[in-house]
Amino acid sequence: MPETKSVLFVCLGNICRSPTGEGVLLRLIEEQNLESRLLVDSAGTSGYHVGQPADGRMSECAARRGYPLLSRSRQLVHQDMHEFDLVIAMDRSNQRAIEAVNSQPTATICLLSDFLADDWPVDVPDPYYGGEAGFEEVLDMIEAACPQILSTLLE
Ligand code: 4NP
């Protein structure tokens, strides 16, 4: 019986980028019938939007590509860095914030762009104060990274 692996996507508000990471990876998992082997969640380094669903602009763009975003925002806690195998930060600023929440994690903490070729940006740009193109860029980066994230989790 293969062990269950867990992954947590993390951004600032947990209403745009990390719910999208969760939604895109969950669809890949469902398509490949891997639900019993993988656990996916998301969180924010801030508590600005705790309890809220994904941002409507993000949800609309994701829905157009076939991804429902069903999570509610929650704030990252110290324990997450012991409970998850892999914690994926959307940008370097959030990666630093994650490391500040727990300086002795058992989880591997990395960037989403660690799963992308070098010609992609290092950070998934924060789309919150911008226009629609920013939300599409979030989806482009996450869709490109998720197959690699999945194969890493299944190694
Ligand atoms: P996220 O986007 O970190 O991708 O969820 C943001 C959501 C809210 C805010 C900033 C970024 N905010 O400042 O409220």
Side-chain angles (χ1 to χ4, degrees):
M1 197 63 180
E3 62 175 323
T4 302
K5 288 286 188 69
S6 57
V7 56
L8 182 70
F9 291 95
V10 180
C11 60
L12 179 63
N14 192 210
I15 55 169
C16 297
R17 293 166 291 176
S18 59
T20 303
E22 185 180 352
V24 172
L25 189 62
L26 277 175
R27 202 183 78 184
L28 281 184
I29 288 169
E30 282 165 19
E31 282 169 1
Q32 299 182 36
N33 294 315
L34 292 166
E35 290 94 334
S36 61
R37 291 189 57 189
L38 296 163
L39 197 135
V40 187
D41 195 8
S42 65
T45 54
S46 80
Y48 302 154
H49 297 278
V50 168
Q52 293 178 13
D55 183 283
R57 300 162 297 171
M58 189 76 251
S59 291
E60 211 171 284
C61 287
R64 280 203 295 269
R65 298 194 196 192
Y67 307 108
L69 302 185
L70 303 174
S71 64
R72 293 262 169 184
S73 177
R74 73 168 178 91
Q75 189 166 13
L76 183 74
V77 291
H78 181 272
Q79 199 58 25
D80 287 323
M81 267 71 79
H82 294 301
E83 287 183 353
F84 287 85
D85 296 302
L86 187 61
V87 175
I88 301 178
M90 289 293 167
D91 59 30
R92 286 167 290 183
S93 156
N94 281 294
Q95 186 179 32
R96 285 190 294 274
I98 292 165
E99 287 161 355
V101 167
N102 188 333
S103 59
Q104 295 190 307
T106 53
T108 302
I109 298 171
C110 58
L111 284 169
L112 184 102
S113 60
D114 292 340
F115 299 93
L116 290 170
D118 289 344
D119 50 355
W120 288 92
V122 174
D123 296 320
V124 182
D126 180 347
Y128 191 69
Y129 292 107
E132 188 171 318
F135 294 93
E136 297 294 350
E137 188 180 6
V138 168
L139 276 156
D140 290 343
M141 290 186 74
I142 288 171
E143 279 187 325
C146 275
Q148 189 56 42
I149 293 171
L150 188 58
S151 26
T152 301
L153 287 165
L154 294 174
E155 269 168 9

